[in-house]
């Protein structure tokens, strides 16, 4: 550094007032070593993270995904305007809910094939094709939500209706009658309203403001049909 | 100092310049964002809507120009299909209202659709109608057979798929046939009014809306009530269809024009009466347990 100061001082003698002339007055001992290691702490951290997900136990992986699904269930049960469902979408929850609902709703094999409740495949098709149709509808109307985010929200908001199905099956174990029906009717209505409120809380913001009703109505129809299937379920 | 005055901004209002220079010509340049129609997300003022209603035909050249500008995307892009969903909530409500209150002399297509046919209304009205008919039919059958000892309630889920096939086939294949027929007649006889395929689908879709409350009211197990409802619904939607298509066939041969309108109304009648007969069991007058069970079983077997 002292040499550099002197060399910068040399052309300074040609100009009338050298700017860095005062630097030559600074004395620096030449004993201080300037050396060290340049390490980027972030890189080693990331490398550690990558290997940890590859080498972690299966239980850790499953528990992490289950916790994510469980967290989303909580968000559906207590709907607040949050972005968790939209940001990290996954389709595990909708799959679990749809399979559970279809298993509980399917008609038994003893039942005649003519008139009866829906088959497993019919429930599955209604849920998934209904969700795809609603997503396409909201995208065509100009909503700025991605395809899978919308499927995720619609699938997760079936959770209250699945709970209603469980309650209805339990209530149907008791003796049939008008009170039985009234209890089931009340439970289904409450859960239907809960599903609509939950899905509207997540989906409404992504629609253009003067088309919100056009985008929400198909959601209403979708959950209404599922509620009807739950309410009219009769065990053989 | 003069430098400060130089920095002051002078206001050049339109009134100021026109007052200062009466002979000056002023050019107003409107940007594309200021064009008042066919902008998604830009609601029209209510005054403009009423003017358009009254004028009807006067802005047809403007709408034709804009229609030419609209559908410019090729058919394999997503934006092409977005042009068919370019409606706001109030527009859909207006179209539904127009299908419920047919005013003689006013054409549904000219008045409400006017080169902006949408697929939202036809698709979702048909979907709602499918479920309304299936659910109402199921509920009505349950209420009719409520007291019978041998009756066991079934959800009849199979009828949903049958209803869906019938309604969607009617709402899409009949407009296709009608459009083909009108195109063929147009090649022979020059008609002033001609409709595109989507406009015909739109009219048929919105005209089916009256059947949704009709299907719900068909739950009432009285034959007279049901047939009165059929008459009312048929009158309203049939007149919407007839008034829409009469200007399109008016210049044609008299008999062909009348035959077309009669066929349209006849198919509509067939749809409503068919749905009533198939999805809703006939209400019996007296509830004799033995007498009512046997006809039910034969009717169910015949289905």
């Amino acid at each position: 550094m002292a040499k550099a100061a002197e060399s910068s001082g040399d052309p300074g003698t040609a100009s009338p007032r050298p700017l860095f002339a005062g630097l030559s007055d600074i004395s620096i001992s030449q004993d201080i070593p300037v050396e060290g290691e340049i390490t980027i702490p972030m890189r080693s951290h990331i490398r550690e993270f990558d290997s940890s997900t590859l080498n972690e136990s299966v239980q850790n992986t499953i528990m992490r995904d289950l916790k994510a699904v469980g967290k989303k269930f909580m968000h559906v049960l207590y709907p607040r305007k949050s972005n968790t469902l939209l940001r990290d979408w996954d389709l595990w929850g909708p799959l679990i809910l749809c399979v559970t609902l279809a298993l509980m709703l399917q008609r038994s094999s003893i039942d005649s094939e003519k008139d009866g409740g829906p088959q497993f495949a019919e429930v599955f098709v209604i849920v998934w094709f209904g969700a795809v149709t609603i997503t396409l509808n909201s995208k065509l109307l100009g909503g700025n939500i991605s395809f899978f985010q919308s499927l995720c929200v619609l699938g997760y908001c079936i959770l209250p209706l699945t709970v209603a199905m469980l309650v209805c099956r339990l209530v149907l174990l008791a003796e049939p009658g008008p009170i039985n029906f009234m209890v089931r009717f009340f439970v289904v209505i409450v859960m239907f309203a809960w599903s609509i409120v939950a899905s509207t809380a997540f989906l409404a913001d992504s629609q253009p403001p003067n088309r919100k009703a056009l985008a929400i109505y198909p959601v209403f129809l979708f959950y209404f049909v599922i509620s009807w299937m739950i309410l009219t379920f009769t065990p053989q | 100092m003069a430098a400060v005055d130089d920095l002051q901004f002078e206001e050049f209002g339109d009134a100021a310049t026109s007052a200062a220079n009466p002979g000056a010509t002023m050019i107003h340049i409107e940007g594309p964002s200021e064009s008042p129609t066919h902008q998604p997300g830009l609601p029209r003022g209510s005054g403009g809507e009423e003017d358009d209603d009254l004028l009807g035909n006067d802005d047809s050249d403007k709408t034709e120009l804009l229609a030419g500008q609209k559908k410019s995307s090729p058919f394999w892009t997503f934006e092409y299909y977005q042009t068919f969903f370019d409606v706001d909530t109030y527009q859909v409500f207006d179209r539904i209202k127009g299908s419920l209150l047919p005013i003689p002399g006013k054409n549904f297509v000219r008045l409400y659709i006017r080169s902006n046919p949408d697929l939202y209304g036809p698709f979702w009205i048909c979907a709602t109608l499918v479920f309304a008919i299936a659910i109402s039919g199921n509920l009505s059958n349950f209420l009719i057979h409520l007291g019978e000892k041998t009756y066991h309630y079934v959800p009849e889920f199979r009828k949903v798929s049958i209803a869906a096939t019938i309604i969607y086939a009617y709402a899409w294949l009949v407009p296709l046939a009608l459009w083909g027929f009108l195109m063929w007649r147009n090649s022979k006889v020059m008609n002033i009014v001609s409709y595109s395929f989507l406009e015909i689908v739109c009219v048929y879709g919105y005209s089916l809306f009256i059947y949704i409350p009709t299907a719900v009211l068909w739950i009432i197990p009285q034959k007279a009530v049901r047939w009165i409802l059929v008459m009312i619904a048929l009158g309203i939607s049939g007149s919407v269809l007839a008034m829409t298509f009469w200007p399109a066939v008016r210049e044609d041969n008299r008999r062909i024009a009348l035959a077309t309108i009669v066929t349209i109304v006849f198919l509509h009648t067939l749809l409503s009466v068919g749905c009533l007969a198939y999805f809703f069991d006939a209400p019996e007058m007296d509830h004799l347990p033995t007498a009512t069970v046997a006809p039910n079983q034969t009717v169910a077997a015949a289905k």
Side-chain angles (χ1 to χ4, degrees):
Chain A
M1 262 241 349
K3 278 192 187 167
E6 282 170 31
S7 62
S8 72
D10 279 337
T13 54
S15 61
R17 286 178 47 146
L19 291 172
F20 297 114
L23 277 180
S24 56
D25 298 337
I26 302 170
S27 65
I28 298 173
S29 90
Q30 298 176 354
D31 301 344
I32 300 177
V34 181
E35 62 182 49
E37 282 181 24
I38 301 179
T39 55
I40 304 174
M42 289 301 294
R43 181 180 286 180
S44 60
H45 176 64
I46 292 174
R47 211 179 285 140
E48 194 178 11
F49 184 65
D50 274 345
S51 63
S52 73
T53 57
L54 268 181
N55 291 340
E56 70 179 1
S57 64
V58 174
Q59 184 192 3
N60 274 358
T61 314
I62 293 180
M63 287 312 295
R64 191 175 59 237
D65 279 337
L66 274 180
K67 279 203 191 107
V69 169
K71 204 161 74 153
K72 293 202 188 69
F73 279 167
M74 283 299 127
H75 275 276
V76 170
L77 286 178
Y78 302 107
R80 278 181 305 270
K81 277 200 193 313
S82 83
N83 280 336
T84 310
L85 268 185
L86 291 179
R87 234 188 3 236
D88 325 308
W89 59 266
D90 75 272
L91 292 179
W92 284 114
L95 182 67
I96 296 173
L97 288 171
C98 182
V99 167
T100 312
L101 195 61
L103 277 175
M104 288 195 287
L105 269 177
Q106 63 175 346
R107 73 174 92 123
S108 62
S109 53
I110 319 166
D111 195 357
S112 79
E113 284 164 20
K114 280 270 166 188
D115 297 325
Q119 300 275 19
F120 178 91
E122 287 171 344
V123 179
F124 211 79
V125 159
I126 282 192
V127 170
W128 284 103
F129 274 93
V132 165
T133 309
I134 296 175
T135 308
L136 276 178
N137 176 67
S138 82
K139 283 186 79 73
L140 283 168
L141 281 174
N144 59 352
I145 191 172
S146 102
F147 185 75
F148 287 108
Q149 281 172 346
S150 174
L151 278 187
C152 169
V153 169
L154 288 169
Y156 269 102
C157 290
I158 297 182
L159 176 65
L161 287 170
T162 311
V163 169
M165 184 71 216
L166 280 166
V167 171
C168 281
R169 277 219 100 147
L170 289 175
V171 170
L172 277 170
L173 291 175
E175 55 166 86
I179 302 181
N180 195 314
F181 177 74
M182 291 310 292
V183 170
R184 283 186 291 136
F185 182 72
F186 179 69
V187 167
V188 169
I189 289 267
V190 167
M191 291 301 174
F192 166 62
W194 201 334
S195 285
I196 299 264
V197 165
S199 60
T200 311
F202 292 119
L203 285 179
D205 287 334
S206 65
Q207 305 301 323
N210 46 347
R211 293 180 187 184
K212 276 205 169 68
L214 295 186
I216 296 296
Y217 169 72
V219 177
F220 171 85
L221 187 64
F222 177 63
Y223 289 126
F224 181 77
V225 169
I226 297 183
S227 310
W228 175 258
M229 289 199 296
I230 292 175
L231 188 59
T232 61
F233 173 75
T234 47
Q236 293 309 316
Chain B
M1 283 167 54
V4 176
D5 288 339
D6 287 343
L7 292 176
Q8 292 286 349
F9 215 66
E10 286 201 42
E11 295 291 329
F12 290 105
D14 284 346
T17 42
S18 59
N21 300 343
T25 54
M26 297 201 299
I27 305 172
H28 293 272
I29 302 175
E30 286 186 359
S33 61
E34 292 168 32
S35 65
T37 50
H38 298 294
Q39 279 277 330
L42 192 66
R44 280 195 245 178
S46 57
E49 185 71 22
E50 285 163 3
D51 286 343
D52 286 344
D53 278 357
L54 292 173
L55 291 176
N57 290 328
D58 280 0
D59 58 344
S60 56
D61 53 348
K62 184 164 77 168
T63 50
E64 276 168 27
L65 271 177
L66 289 167
Q69 290 172 8
K70 251 192 354 169
K71 297 181 175 64
S72 53
S73 313
F75 69 91
W76 54 84
T77 58
F78 191 70
E79 283 73 29
Y80 176 74
Y81 298 101
Q82 262 185 328
T83 56
F84 301 137
F85 283 77
D86 193 13
V87 278
D88 294 335
T89 310
Y90 75 94
Q91 281 176 318
V92 172
F93 281 150
D94 278 344
R95 293 177 186 192
I96 292 179
K97 252 190 336 204
S99 78
L100 289 176
L101 307 165
I103 308 174
K106 295 261 175 78
N107 189 341
F108 182 76
V109 174
R110 267 282 162 247
L111 207 55
Y112 293 103
I113 305 207
R114 260 173 316 141
S115 307
N116 188 18
D118 70 307
L119 285 180
Y120 177 91
F123 183 78
W124 287 108
I125 291 178
C126 290
T128 312
L129 185 60
V130 163
F131 289 112
I133 286 187
I135 291 177
S136 303
N138 194 244
L139 206 53
S140 152
N141 291 351
F142 170 71
L143 288 174
I144 287 177
H145 302 303
L146 192 48
E148 293 162 18
K149 294 192 181 59
T150 55
Y151 178 71
H152 181 78
Y153 171 73
V154 282
E156 290 176 329
F157 191 76
R158 189 183 54 113
K159 297 210 166 161
V160 172
S161 16
I162 296 176
T165 313
I166 296 176
I167 303 284
Y168 274 101
Y170 179 80
W172 292 83
L173 293 183
V174 171
L176 186 65
L178 188 60
W179 174 74
F181 175 75
L182 287 178
M183 284 292 119
W184 175 60
R185 293 309 301 173
N186 252 357
S187 67
K188 302 216 160 171
V189 176
M190 201 53 222
N191 273 328
I192 297 179
V193 175
S194 72
Y195 298 124
S196 72
F197 171 61
L198 282 171
E199 286 170 348
I200 301 182
V201 166
C202 230
V203 176
Y204 264 88
Y206 280 104
S207 73
L208 285 177
F209 179 81
I210 184 70
Y211 286 110
I212 297 176
T214 311
V216 173
L217 286 175
W218 272 340
I219 296 178
I220 301 173
Q222 297 292 332
K223 256 201 164 110
V225 171
R226 287 183 177 178
W227 281 101
I228 292 176
L229 286 168
V230 168
M231 294 296 150
I232 296 176
L234 203 53
I236 293 179
S237 58
S239 62
V240 168
L241 287 177
M243 284 195 290
T244 305
F245 289 108
W246 179 246
V249 293
R250 193 167 35 196
E251 283 90 22
D252 208 343
N253 185 356
R254 200 73 183 179
R255 299 207 308 196
I256 294 187
L258 279 177
T260 312
I261 301 292
V262 166
T263 313
I264 291 175
V265 176
F266 174 70
L267 285 174
H268 218 63
T269 315
L270 206 59
L271 177 79
S272 57
V273 172
C275 281
L276 177 62
Y278 183 70
F279 291 100
F280 294 82
D281 284 348
E284 273 77 32
M285 288 296 130
D286 355 279
H287 281 277
L288 297 172
T290 49
T292 49
V293 164
N296 271 345
Q297 284 177 348
T298 51
V299 166
K303 287 177 185 172

